[in-house]
Amino acid sequence: MKKAKIFSISILIPLLVGGLSALLTYKKTMVYSELNQPPLSPPMPVFGIVWTILFILMGISCGMVYLKRAETDVSAALKVYGFQLVLNFFWTIIFFNMGAYLFAFIWLLLILVFVAVMIAQFYKISRAAAYLQIPYLLWLIFAGYLNIMIFILN
């Protein structure tokens, strides 16, 4: 496969996962603005912008790792990547559709663990790919703060 096709597919996958999860939770996200908000809570449009950027970075990073498959075994790293993406998809449903804020926080901690493992595995394959995941890790930490505070305040 040509690099452009690999990167197109690897970027499209997380964007589709994020888009589908947003589509499934769209009506329930309106409830979020009615909740007691913690300090530092950004306006709702910021979430869509940030997540779109993060999904693109995830895809680029995944593509970079995938391209190294001829040089090293990337299967374990890509499995962890895929699993954290699935976990990410379900967090949105748990938080917004179910309104299970404490369970969503625990789920988010699980995502954080898998993202940290993914970054470590990506680092062994491509440092640049690992570095592209750092904004995602930082955003998840911030999301964890928002999540636990929503639970406490509501």
Side-chain angles (χ1 to χ4, degrees):
M1 264 194 253
K2 296 190 183 228
K3 285 184 182 182
K5 186 175 180 183
I6 289 169
F7 280 110
S8 296
I9 293 169
S10 66
I11 292 169
L12 188 61
I13 290 170
L15 285 173
L16 288 174
V17 168
L20 180 59
S21 109
L23 184 67
L24 293 174
T25 59
Y26 178 73
K27 289 183 181 179
K28 294 290 186 170
T29 59
M30 300 306 153
V31 173
Y32 180 81
S33 59
E34 298 170 6
L35 297 172
N36 294 320
Q37 298 292 316
L40 306 177
S41 185
M44 281 299 290
V46 170
F47 290 100
I49 294 165
V50 170
W51 276 111
T52 300
I53 293 167
L54 293 174
F55 286 133
I56 291 168
L57 291 175
M58 275 186 230
I60 293 168
S61 179
C62 177
M64 294 169 77
V65 168
Y66 182 79
L67 286 171
K68 296 283 189 175
R69 71 192 184 286
E71 302 166 30
T72 187
D73 183 14
V74 299
S75 60
L78 292 177
K79 285 178 187 174
V80 173
Y81 170 80
F83 188 67
Q84 69 76 29
L85 201 54
V86 170
L87 291 173
N88 183 306
F89 173 82
F90 283 108
W91 178 88
T92 309
I93 292 167
I94 293 166
F95 186 88
F96 290 108
N97 286 11
M98 296 171 56
Y101 304 129
L102 181 58
F103 182 57
F105 177 72
I106 294 165
W107 193 268
L108 188 79
L109 294 177
L110 183 63
I111 298 169
L112 273 165
V113 168
F114 277 91
V115 169
V117 169
M118 176 188 64
I119 290 171
Q121 289 182 347
F122 278 21
Y123 188 82
K124 294 173 189 172
I125 299 164
S126 166
R127 288 182 180 178
Y131 294 147
L132 286 176
Q133 295 291 342
I134 299 299
Y136 178 35
L137 182 70
L138 295 174
W139 183 257
L140 287 174
I141 293 167
F142 180 63
Y145 155 75
L146 294 174
N147 187 158
I148 196 65
M149 291 304 293
I150 290 289
F151 170 72
I152 291 167
L153 295 172
N154 294 280

